């Protein structure tokens, strides 16, 4: 993705943040071969509360804008001080812990609803584990992962 | 905070997403604890501001909720055609 697309998204997001009186600021950061948008500030608790609901909302809107501007299919990640990496580690731990419970109890275990990205991390981290299987059920924001004994 | 700026937030988002930005109208109806933000768009743009499985509307409501926490007010988004 070209840098000027990322810059325009940042301008749009900062306008939203400012008009919302949130003490946050978005900026473009390098990320691998491309860019990501990093959001930080005093209101980080509001940004990352409820499983980063606000960060995900901003990411979704930023990508809607990108889809209109970019000709090719591209996506941009929104992050906050490497929250995505920290959250992935946490999800892998939750998956391992949930699988352990299911192995011992032989009773299925359901997580709270998660967004597609987070559900994917749970599925992937247990994909190699032959003792359990995972499945997503429910629709929209209520969709959640359940671990079953294999 | 000037609550009117949240009206601008919804207007900016809606105008960025629809095909007919000139037909975007946002009205704010102030109550004591609750502020209703009424978003009107052209009929063919309704899907654009609601989004797949309501995700765009949900994203706007999430922003309103976060902003509302700062001013201890509840903002309700109503989408009309």
């Amino acid at each position: 993705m070209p840098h000027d697309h990322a810059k325009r998204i940042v301008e749009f997001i900062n306008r939203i943040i400012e008009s919302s009186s949130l003490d946050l600021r978005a900026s473009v950061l390098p990320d691998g071969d491309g860019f990501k948008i990093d959001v930080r500030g005093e209101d980080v608790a509001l940004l990352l509360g409820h499983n980063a609901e606000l960060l995900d909302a901003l990411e979704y809107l930023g990508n809607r804008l990108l889809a209109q501007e970019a000709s090719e299919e591209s996506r941009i990640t929104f992050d906050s001080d490497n929250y995505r990496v920290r959250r992935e580690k946490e999800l892998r731990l939750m998956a391992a812990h949930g699988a352990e419970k299911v192995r011992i109890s032989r009773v299925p275990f359901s997580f709270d609803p998660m967004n597609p990205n987070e559900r994917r991390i749970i599925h992937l981290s247990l994909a190699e584990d032959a003792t359990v299987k995972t499945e997503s059920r429910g629709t929209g924001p209520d969709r959640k992962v359940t671990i079953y004994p294999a | 905070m000037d609550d009117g700026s949240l009206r601008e937030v919804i207007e900016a988002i809606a105008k960025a997403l629809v095909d007919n930005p000139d037909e975007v109208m946002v009205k704010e109806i102030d109550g004591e604890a609750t502020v209703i933000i009424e978003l009107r768009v052209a009929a063919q743009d309704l899907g654009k501001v609601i989004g797949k499985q309501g995700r765009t509307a949900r994203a706007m409501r999430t922003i309103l909720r976060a902003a509302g926490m700062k001013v201890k007010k509840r903002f309700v988004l109503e989408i009309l055609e």
Side-chain angles (χ1 to χ4, degrees):
Chain A
M1 144 167 23
H3 189 256
D4 56 320
H5 277 153
K7 254 177 69 187
R8 260 207 302 283
I9 293 172
V10 159
E11 279 163 21
F12 174 71
I13 293 297
N14 277 331
R15 213 166 85 220
I16 292 174
I17 289 172
E18 270 160 36
S19 296
S20 304
S21 298
L22 293 166
D23 192 342
L24 294 168
R25 185 109 202 121
S27 57
V28 184
L29 283 189
D31 183 38
D33 300 336
F35 305 100
K36 68 177 178 182
I37 292 175
D38 188 78
V39 187
R40 293 185 200 197
E42 287 297 312
D43 282 332
V44 72
L46 282 176
L47 184 71
L48 300 180
H50 300 279
N51 287 344
E53 191 183 24
L54 181 58
L55 182 65
D56 286 343
L58 296 176
E59 181 179 76
Y60 175 76
L61 292 174
N63 278 288
R64 282 288 309 275
L65 198 72
L66 179 64
Q68 286 185 330
E69 299 209 343
S71 42
E72 80 281 26
E73 182 99 14
S74 53
R75 260 192 66 78
I76 189 156
T77 302
F78 278 48
D79 206 347
S80 177
D81 198 10
N82 290 318
Y83 166 81
R84 300 289 185 202
V85 173
R86 281 182 278 128
R87 177 67 179 159
E88 179 166 346
K89 277 189 192 147
E90 188 177 277
L91 286 166
R92 288 180 181 282
L93 279 175
M94 285 162 63
H97 182 70
E100 182 67 19
K101 277 217 299 223
V102 171
R103 256 194 305 276
I104 292 166
S105 68
R106 311 294 300 166
V107 175
F109 171 80
S110 292
F111 293 98
D112 288 335
M114 287 173 189
N115 66 38
N117 260 333
E118 299 199 336
R119 290 199 309 272
R120 194 175 142 268
I121 292 167
I122 300 278
H123 288 307
L124 282 178
S125 75
L126 295 176
E128 309 272 282
D129 188 334
T131 64
V132 294
K133 55 184 189 195
T134 60
E135 224 171 83
S136 286
R137 288 206 178 166
T139 51
D142 294 324
R143 198 159 165 82
K144 52 184 160 184
V145 180
T146 299
I147 306 176
Y148 297 92
Chain B
M1 182 187 86
D2 167 19
D3 293 341
S5 60
L6 278 172
R7 194 191 68 79
E8 283 162 31
V9 169
I10 298 304
E11 190 174 88
I13 294 170
K15 284 195 167 171
L17 299 179
V18 298
D19 292 329
N20 308 281
D22 293 346
E23 290 184 49
V24 170
M25 276 196 301
V26 187
K27 204 165 85 185
E28 197 178 292
I29 304 150
D30 283 307
E32 215 157 277
T34 304
V35 179
I36 296 169
I37 295 184
E38 220 180 67
L39 168 63
R40 272 175 205 277
V41 298
Q44 71 261 39
D45 281 331
L46 264 182
K48 294 241 160 91
V49 292
I50 292 169
K52 274 184 210 138
Q53 291 186 321
R55 276 192 78 184
T56 309
R58 188 143 44 88
M60 288 192 280
R61 290 187 173 115
T62 299
I63 292 167
L64 289 182
R65 188 156 50 239
M69 300 246 268
K70 294 215 66 162
V71 289
K72 301 197 166 45
K73 267 197 172 184
R74 210 164 74 87
F75 292 88
V76 178
L77 176 67
E78 285 181 3
I79 299 172
L80 307 161
E81 89 178 59

